[in-house]
Amino acid sequence: MSVRTTPGVRLLPNAITVLAMCSGLSAVYFALAGHPLGALAAISVAAVLDGLDGRIARMLDATSKMGAELDSLADAMSFGVAPALTVYIWQLQGSRAGWLVALLFAVCMVLRLARFNTLLEDTNQPPYAKEFFVGVPAPAAGLLALFPLLLSAQFGHLGWWAQEPVVMVWLLGVALLAVSRIPTLSLKTVKVPAKAMAPLLVAVALVAAGIITYPLVALAVVLLLYVLHIPFAVHRYRWLARHPEAWSVPPRERRAIRRTQRQLGLRRPLRRRVAGAARRVRLPLRNNGPGGPRRSWRRLELRRNRNNSQQPR
Protein backbone atom coordinates (compact mmCIF):
# COMPACT_ATOMS: atom_id res chain seq x y z
CA MET A 1 0.00 0.00 0.00
CA SER A 2 1.49 3.33 -1.02
CA VAL A 3 1.92 6.27 1.31
CA ARG A 4 -0.69 8.35 -0.50
CA THR A 5 -3.41 5.75 -0.11
CA THR A 6 -2.77 5.01 3.59
CA PRO A 7 -5.93 5.95 5.52
CA GLY A 8 -3.93 7.41 8.40
CA VAL A 9 -1.96 9.69 6.09
CA ARG A 10 -5.11 10.87 4.31
CA LEU A 11 -6.55 11.80 7.71
CA LEU A 12 -3.62 14.08 8.52
CA PRO A 13 -4.89 17.26 6.75
CA ASN A 14 -8.28 17.03 8.46
CA ALA A 15 -6.56 16.50 11.82
CA ILE A 16 -4.54 19.69 11.27
CA THR A 17 -7.75 21.54 10.41
CA VAL A 18 -9.36 20.35 13.66
CA LEU A 19 -6.29 21.52 15.58
CA ALA A 20 -6.62 24.94 13.93
CA MET A 21 -10.26 25.12 14.98
CA CYS A 22 -9.34 24.16 18.54
CA SER A 23 -6.69 26.85 18.58
CA GLY A 24 -9.22 29.44 17.42
CA LEU A 25 -11.73 28.42 20.08
CA SER A 26 -8.94 28.54 22.67
CA ALA A 27 -8.51 32.19 21.70
CA VAL A 28 -12.08 32.80 22.86
CA TYR A 29 -11.24 31.09 26.17
CA PHE A 30 -8.18 33.31 26.67
CA ALA A 31 -10.20 36.42 25.82
CA LEU A 32 -12.94 35.51 28.34
CA ALA A 33 -10.28 34.81 30.97
CA GLY A 34 -8.77 38.27 30.49
CA HIS A 35 -5.62 37.21 28.60
CA PRO A 36 -5.73 39.04 25.25
CA LEU A 37 -2.13 38.12 24.43
CA GLY A 38 -2.99 34.45 24.80
CA ALA A 39 -5.87 34.98 22.38
CA LEU A 40 -3.52 36.68 19.91
CA ALA A 41 -1.06 33.80 20.14
CA ALA A 42 -3.81 31.20 19.68
CA ILE A 43 -5.16 32.91 16.55
CA SER A 44 -1.61 33.16 15.16
CA VAL A 45 -1.13 29.42 15.68
CA ALA A 46 -4.46 28.80 13.95
CA ALA A 47 -3.27 30.86 10.96
CA VAL A 48 -0.09 28.78 10.69
CA LEU A 49 -2.04 25.52 10.88
CA ASP A 50 -4.54 26.80 8.30
CA GLY A 51 -1.69 27.39 5.88
CA LEU A 52 -0.37 23.87 6.40
CA ASP A 53 -3.49 21.73 6.03
CA GLY A 54 -4.23 22.69 2.44
CA ARG A 55 -0.64 22.24 1.27
CA ILE A 56 -0.33 18.87 2.99
CA ALA A 57 -3.63 17.74 1.47
CA ARG A 58 -2.42 18.61 -2.02
CA MET A 59 0.96 16.98 -1.46
CA LEU A 60 -0.65 13.74 -0.25
CA ASP A 61 -3.44 13.87 -2.83
CA ALA A 62 -5.90 13.81 0.08
CA THR A 63 -8.19 16.66 -0.92
CA SER A 64 -11.89 16.01 -0.43
CA LYS A 65 -15.20 17.82 -0.25
CA MET A 66 -15.43 17.12 3.47
CA GLY A 67 -12.00 18.59 4.02
CA ALA A 68 -12.95 21.80 2.19
CA GLU A 69 -16.15 22.23 4.22
CA LEU A 70 -14.33 21.48 7.47
CA ASP A 71 -11.66 24.02 6.59
CA SER A 72 -14.29 26.71 5.98
CA LEU A 73 -16.01 26.01 9.31
CA ALA A 74 -12.68 26.14 11.14
CA ASP A 75 -11.76 29.43 9.45
CA ALA A 76 -15.12 30.95 10.37
CA MET A 77 -14.53 30.15 14.03
CA SER A 78 -10.80 30.90 14.18
CA PHE A 79 -10.70 34.08 12.07
CA GLY A 80 -14.27 35.33 12.30
CA VAL A 81 -15.77 34.61 15.70
CA ALA A 82 -12.55 34.48 17.76
CA PRO A 83 -11.05 37.86 16.64
CA ALA A 84 -14.43 39.60 16.91
CA LEU A 85 -15.00 38.39 20.47
CA THR A 86 -11.39 39.08 21.44
CA VAL A 87 -11.52 42.70 20.28
CA TYR A 88 -14.96 43.21 21.81
CA ILE A 89 -13.96 41.87 25.23
CA TRP A 90 -10.64 43.70 25.14
CA GLN A 91 -11.79 47.22 24.25
CA LEU A 92 -15.44 47.39 23.09
CA GLN A 93 -17.18 45.64 25.96
CA GLY A 94 -20.34 47.43 27.09
CA SER A 95 -20.71 49.40 23.85
CA ARG A 96 -23.72 48.63 21.65
CA ALA A 97 -21.99 50.11 18.62
CA GLY A 98 -18.91 48.03 19.40
CA TRP A 99 -20.96 44.85 19.56
CA LEU A 100 -22.60 45.74 16.24
CA VAL A 101 -19.18 46.20 14.61
CA ALA A 102 -17.89 42.92 16.06
CA LEU A 103 -21.01 41.12 14.83
CA LEU A 104 -20.60 42.66 11.38
CA PHE A 105 -16.98 41.53 11.24
CA ALA A 106 -17.95 37.91 11.99
CA VAL A 107 -20.73 38.01 9.37
CA CYS A 108 -18.37 39.44 6.74
CA MET A 109 -15.86 36.70 7.40
CA VAL A 110 -18.51 34.00 6.93
CA LEU A 111 -19.65 35.65 3.68
CA ARG A 112 -16.05 35.87 2.48
CA LEU A 113 -15.54 32.13 3.10
CA ALA A 114 -18.81 31.26 1.35
CA ARG A 115 -17.76 33.26 -1.71
CA PHE A 116 -14.36 31.57 -1.67
CA ASN A 117 -16.01 28.14 -1.84
CA THR A 118 -18.19 29.19 -4.76
CA LEU A 119 -15.21 30.60 -6.68
CA LEU A 120 -13.45 27.24 -6.41
CA GLU A 121 -16.13 25.74 -8.64
CA ASP A 122 -16.13 28.62 -11.15
CA THR A 123 -14.54 27.44 -14.41
CA ASN A 124 -15.03 30.74 -16.28
CA GLN A 125 -12.23 32.61 -14.54
CA PRO A 126 -9.18 33.69 -16.58
CA PRO A 127 -5.97 31.67 -16.11
CA TYR A 128 -4.23 34.40 -14.11
CA ALA A 129 -7.03 34.52 -11.50
CA LYS A 130 -5.53 31.57 -9.60
CA GLU A 131 -2.60 33.79 -8.65
CA PHE A 132 -4.85 36.08 -6.61
CA PHE A 133 -7.38 35.97 -3.82
CA VAL A 134 -10.61 37.94 -4.12
CA GLY A 135 -10.40 40.19 -1.09
CA VAL A 136 -8.20 39.70 1.96
CA PRO A 137 -8.12 36.00 2.96
CA ALA A 138 -9.54 34.89 6.30
CA PRO A 139 -6.27 34.28 8.23
CA ALA A 140 -4.85 37.67 7.23
CA ALA A 141 -8.11 39.44 8.08
CA GLY A 142 -8.31 37.72 11.47
CA LEU A 143 -4.78 38.85 12.38
CA LEU A 144 -5.30 42.35 10.99
CA ALA A 145 -8.35 42.74 13.23
CA LEU A 146 -6.03 42.29 16.24
CA PHE A 147 -3.52 44.90 15.08
CA PRO A 148 -4.57 47.53 17.69
CA LEU A 149 -4.23 44.88 20.40
CA LEU A 150 -0.80 44.01 19.04
CA LEU A 151 0.37 47.62 19.20
CA SER A 152 -0.94 48.03 22.74
CA ALA A 153 0.89 44.90 23.88
CA GLN A 154 4.12 46.06 22.22
CA PHE A 155 4.16 49.61 23.57
CA GLY A 156 2.70 48.68 26.95
CA HIS A 157 -0.09 51.25 27.03
CA LEU A 158 -3.35 52.10 25.29
CA GLY A 159 -2.51 54.80 22.76
CA TRP A 160 -4.71 56.50 20.21
CA TRP A 161 -4.79 53.27 18.21
CA ALA A 162 -6.65 51.59 21.09
CA GLN A 163 -9.39 54.20 21.46
CA GLU A 164 -12.88 52.82 20.98
CA PRO A 165 -13.77 54.79 17.80
CA VAL A 166 -10.43 53.94 16.17
CA VAL A 167 -10.79 50.25 16.99
CA MET A 168 -14.33 50.16 15.58
CA VAL A 169 -13.29 51.92 12.35
CA TRP A 170 -10.31 49.59 11.97
CA LEU A 171 -12.40 46.47 12.55
CA LEU A 172 -14.99 47.68 10.06
CA GLY A 173 -12.32 48.47 7.47
CA VAL A 174 -10.79 45.00 7.75
CA ALA A 175 -14.25 43.45 7.37
CA LEU A 176 -14.86 45.45 4.19
CA LEU A 177 -11.47 44.40 2.79
CA ALA A 178 -12.40 40.75 3.42
CA VAL A 179 -15.64 40.95 1.41
CA SER A 180 -14.32 43.34 -1.24
CA ARG A 181 -13.32 42.45 -4.80
CA ILE A 182 -9.78 43.79 -4.32
CA PRO A 183 -7.23 41.24 -5.58
CA THR A 184 -4.48 40.12 -3.20
CA LEU A 185 -1.54 37.89 -4.00
CA SER A 186 -1.81 34.17 -3.33
CA LEU A 187 1.31 32.36 -2.12
CA LYS A 188 -0.05 29.03 -3.33
CA THR A 189 1.15 29.62 -6.90
CA VAL A 190 4.51 31.22 -6.08
CA LYS A 191 7.41 29.24 -7.54
CA VAL A 192 10.87 29.85 -6.16
CA PRO A 193 13.73 29.43 -8.70
CA ALA A 194 16.64 27.21 -7.78
CA LYS A 195 19.15 30.05 -7.55
CA ALA A 196 16.94 31.87 -5.02
CA MET A 197 16.65 28.95 -2.60
CA ALA A 198 19.74 29.84 -0.56
CA PRO A 199 18.81 33.53 -0.02
CA LEU A 200 15.25 32.47 0.77
CA LEU A 201 16.43 30.03 3.44
CA VAL A 202 18.59 32.77 4.96
CA ALA A 203 15.57 35.10 4.99
CA VAL A 204 13.46 32.39 6.64
CA ALA A 205 16.13 31.94 9.32
CA LEU A 206 16.19 35.70 9.97
CA VAL A 207 12.40 35.82 10.21
CA ALA A 208 12.39 32.87 12.60
CA ALA A 209 15.03 34.56 14.76
CA GLY A 210 13.00 37.76 14.77
CA ILE A 211 9.83 35.93 15.75
CA ILE A 212 11.58 34.15 18.61
CA THR A 213 13.34 37.29 19.86
CA TYR A 214 10.73 39.97 19.12
CA PRO A 215 7.48 38.14 18.32
CA LEU A 216 5.17 41.15 18.52
CA VAL A 217 7.41 43.37 16.39
CA ALA A 218 7.87 40.63 13.79
CA LEU A 219 4.13 40.03 13.55
CA ALA A 220 3.43 43.76 13.28
CA VAL A 221 6.00 44.13 10.46
CA VAL A 222 4.51 41.18 8.57
CA LEU A 223 1.00 42.64 8.83
CA LEU A 224 2.18 46.07 7.67
CA LEU A 225 3.98 44.55 4.69
CA TYR A 226 0.84 42.64 3.81
CA VAL A 227 -1.25 45.81 3.82
CA LEU A 228 1.36 47.63 1.72
CA HIS A 229 1.40 44.88 -0.91
CA ILE A 230 -2.27 45.41 -1.82
CA PRO A 231 -1.64 48.31 -4.29
CA PHE A 232 1.04 46.20 -6.02
CA ALA A 233 -1.38 43.26 -6.26
CA VAL A 234 -4.06 45.51 -7.81
CA HIS A 235 -1.54 46.88 -10.35
CA ARG A 236 -0.35 43.40 -11.27
CA TYR A 237 -3.89 42.10 -11.65
CA ARG A 238 -4.84 44.95 -13.99
CA TRP A 239 -1.66 44.53 -16.02
CA LEU A 240 -2.35 40.83 -16.52
CA ALA A 241 -5.94 41.58 -17.52
CA ARG A 242 -4.63 43.85 -20.32
CA HIS A 243 -1.95 41.41 -21.55
CA PRO A 244 -3.32 37.96 -22.46
CA GLU A 245 0.06 37.00 -23.94
CA ALA A 246 1.48 36.90 -20.38
CA TRP A 247 -1.15 34.64 -18.83
CA SER A 248 0.63 31.33 -19.34
CA VAL A 249 4.28 32.38 -19.18
CA PRO A 250 6.66 32.26 -16.18
CA PRO A 251 7.52 35.45 -14.23
CA ARG A 252 10.85 35.85 -16.05
CA GLU A 253 9.12 36.13 -19.42
CA ARG A 254 6.59 38.55 -17.96
CA ARG A 255 9.40 40.83 -16.91
CA ALA A 256 10.80 40.55 -20.43
CA ILE A 257 7.44 41.68 -21.83
CA ARG A 258 7.48 44.73 -19.56
CA ARG A 259 11.04 45.61 -20.57
CA THR A 260 10.15 45.25 -24.25
CA GLN A 261 7.25 47.63 -23.86
CA ARG A 262 9.48 50.19 -22.17
CA GLN A 263 12.11 49.87 -24.92
CA LEU A 264 9.49 50.37 -27.62
CA GLY A 265 8.46 53.58 -25.92
CA LEU A 266 4.86 52.64 -25.28
CA ARG A 267 4.25 55.66 -23.09
CA ARG A 268 1.93 58.57 -23.07
CA PRO A 269 3.08 61.26 -25.52
CA LEU A 270 3.97 64.72 -24.31
CA ARG A 271 1.25 67.35 -24.49
CA ARG A 272 3.30 69.75 -26.62
CA ARG A 273 5.67 68.22 -29.16
CA VAL A 274 7.49 69.88 -32.03
CA ALA A 275 6.62 68.23 -35.34
CA GLY A 276 9.68 66.97 -37.16
CA ALA A 277 12.04 67.29 -34.17
CA ALA A 278 14.58 64.53 -33.67
CA ARG A 279 13.88 64.33 -29.96
CA ARG A 280 11.02 65.15 -27.65
CA VAL A 281 11.18 68.76 -26.61
CA ARG A 282 8.84 70.40 -24.15
CA LEU A 283 8.07 73.95 -25.20
CA PRO A 284 7.52 76.59 -22.53
CA LEU A 285 4.12 78.17 -22.26
CA ARG A 286 3.58 81.31 -24.30
CA ASN A 287 3.49 84.52 -22.30
CA ASN A 288 2.05 87.60 -23.97
CA GLY A 289 3.65 89.99 -21.46
CA PRO A 290 6.45 92.31 -22.55
CA GLY A 291 9.05 90.62 -20.34
CA GLY A 292 7.72 87.09 -20.68
CA PRO A 293 9.66 84.19 -22.20
CA ARG A 294 9.48 83.38 -25.88
CA ARG A 295 9.96 80.27 -27.95
CA SER A 296 13.59 80.05 -29.04
CA TRP A 297 13.53 78.47 -32.50
CA ARG A 298 17.33 78.62 -32.79
CA ARG A 299 17.68 76.69 -29.53
CA LEU A 300 15.41 74.03 -30.99
CA GLU A 301 17.57 73.95 -34.13
CA LEU A 302 14.56 74.83 -36.27
CA ARG A 303 14.04 77.78 -38.60
CA ARG A 304 11.01 79.65 -39.55
CA ASN A 305 10.16 79.75 -43.22
CA ARG A 306 8.77 83.23 -43.62
CA ASN A 307 8.18 82.75 -47.34
CA ASN A 308 5.66 79.94 -46.84
CA SER A 309 2.76 82.31 -47.35
CA GLN A 310 4.39 83.70 -50.57
CA GLN A 311 4.92 80.36 -52.26
CA PRO A 312 2.58 79.69 -55.21
CA ARG A 313 -0.17 77.23 -54.52
Side-chain angles (χ1 to χ4, degrees), residues 23 49 75 283:
S23 182
L49 294 175
D75 289 351
L283 297 178

Side-chain angles (χ1 to χ4, degrees), residues 39 78 194 238 243-244 277:
S78 300
R238 292 179 177 176
H243 298 82

Side-chain angles (χ1 to χ4, degrees), residues 37 40 90 146-162 214-221 224:
L37 281 182
L40 176 61
W90 168 63
L146 302 176
F147 193 70
L149 171 61
L150 178 63
L151 293 180
S152 299
Q154 172 61 32
F155 294 107
H157 66 279
L158 301 177
W160 60 268
W161 56 83
Y214 306 102
L216 298 179
V217 175
L219 183 57
V221 170
L224 284 176

Side-chain angles (χ1 to χ4, degrees), residues 284-295:
L285 294 175
R286 181 179 296 177
N287 193 340
N288 296 329
R294 284 185 170 182
R295 287 188 175 94

